[in-house]
Amino acid sequence: MTVVERAEQKAVLLRQAVDLVERLRENEEEREGLLVRRDGSCRQLKAAGASIKELQEAFGMSRSRVQQILREANG
C-alpha cells in the first residue's frame, strides 16, 4: 500500500469514526428522552390504578425498578 493510499484510508476511517460518534450521541439523546417518557407513563398508569405487577409486565422491569421510578416522582 502506498503512502497516498494509506493517507486516503486513514481519512476515510477518521470520517467513519466521527460519524459513528455523532450517531451514538444522537441515540443517547433519544434514549434519554424515551426513558423520561417511560417513567412518566409508569407514574400515570400507577395513578390510574395499575398494580405494581401490571407495571412490571407492561414495561418489562423488576419490581424494585418500578418502585424506584414511583419513589423518584415523590421526591
Side-chain angles (χ1 to χ4, degrees):
M1 181 178 284
T2 68
V3 172
V4 172
E5 290 170 333
R6 287 176 61 188
E8 289 172 348
Q9 181 183 27
K10 178 181 170 184
V12 168
L13 292 170
L14 285 170
R15 278 194 304 273
Q16 289 174 347
V18 169
D19 290 345
L20 178 62
V21 169
E22 182 59 31
R23 287 182 60 203
L24 286 168
R25 285 187 186 124
E26 290 170 1
N27 286 330
E28 185 174 320
E29 290 170 7
E30 181 181 8
R31 181 181 183 276
E32 289 301 317
L34 291 171
L35 289 173
V36 168
R37 288 177 52 195
R38 179 205 62 192
D39 293 356
S41 180
C42 183
R43 292 180 193 112
Q44 288 176 325
L45 281 165
K46 181 63 177 161
S51 69
I52 299 289
K53 179 80 170 159
E54 289 172 318
L55 296 173
Q56 283 180 261
E57 291 172 3
F59 293 103
M61 295 186 290
S62 68
R63 179 178 190 83
S64 62
R65 181 64 185 125
V66 170
Q67 291 173 328
Q68 181 183 19
I69 289 169
L70 297 174
R71 274 195 312 271
E72 289 170 358
N74 296 326

